[in-house]
Amino acid sequence: TGAAAVAAAPAPAAATAAVAPAPKKPAAELKDAGAGRILLALPDEYSLAWPRTDRALQRGGFFVEGKDEARGLYQISYFKAPEQEKKGWLSKMKFWDNDEEKGQSYSISLTGVGRKTEMIVMNDDGEWDSSEDARRILTIIQSQYGVE
């Protein structure tokens, strides 16, 4: 009877997996805007999207340098994840070398479009940023947007 109990053990796990809810659609969706540019389409009106974006930026680990709700702009610093690089013994001894990275400044722009809101990342020149960093920023915000 001990072998029968062991053989039956996997069945409840399989039954539980079948009852698990379907994955929820993300609250925000990345969209291709052409010419390498992407935007984050938010399912909320601007008045709801603004505070939810604020929370998403905080949870995403961004440093918010400033914000202007009337203009729909957040000023943030983005710090890239340190690359996994191998350092030799000489570079490890370079105590005079400052390893601190300065965050790159970006603007996050929100624009109300009917009952939805669109978000883009802009560079220091106020232009739509189509870099890989901009895509990473929007992806991080997407993962945190609407999480309560």
Side-chain angles (χ1 to χ4, degrees):
T1 53
V6 171
T16 305
V19 179
K24 190 174 145 186
K25 183 182 172 202
E29 185 179 356
L30 287 172
K31 293 193 173 190
D32 184 353
R37 300 177 303 185
I38 61 166
L39 63 85
L40 188 59
L42 307 175
D44 301 311
E45 291 181 30
Y46 181 83
S47 62
L48 284 175
W50 181 263
R52 287 184 174 174
T53 297
D54 201 62
R55 289 191 297 275
L57 288 168
Q58 290 174 13
R59 280 194 296 268
F62 294 101
F63 178 71
V64 177
E65 297 174 2
K67 52 187 169 180
D68 183 344
E69 186 174 2
R71 293 177 53 213
L73 291 174
Y74 282 93
Q75 300 296 329
I76 66 160
S77 286
Y78 172 65
F79 295 86
K80 290 183 186 182
E83 305 297 329
Q84 295 295 331
E85 59 183 82
K86 293 184 178 184
K87 292 186 175 185
W89 67 271
L90 185 59
S91 63
K92 288 179 184 177
M93 295 185 65
K94 284 175 56 178
F95 58 86
W96 61 88
D97 192 14
N98 187 358
D99 280 344
E100 285 187 41
E101 295 259 345
K102 183 176 183 261
Q104 177 70 37
S105 293
Y106 290 96
S107 295
I108 305 295
S109 174
L110 278 71
T111 305
V113 181
R115 293 183 169 208
K116 298 185 180 203
T117 304
E118 294 181 346
M119 176 189 298
I120 66 169
V121 176
M122 298 188 315
N123 61 23
D124 285 339
D125 297 328
E127 298 168 345
W128 194 331
D129 195 317
S130 60
S131 69
E132 190 58 36
D133 284 346
R135 178 177 291 276
R136 282 188 202 110
I137 291 167
L138 290 177
T139 302
I140 292 168
I141 294 171
Q142 177 190 27
S143 73
Q144 298 301 318
Y145 188 85
V147 177
E148 299 299 328

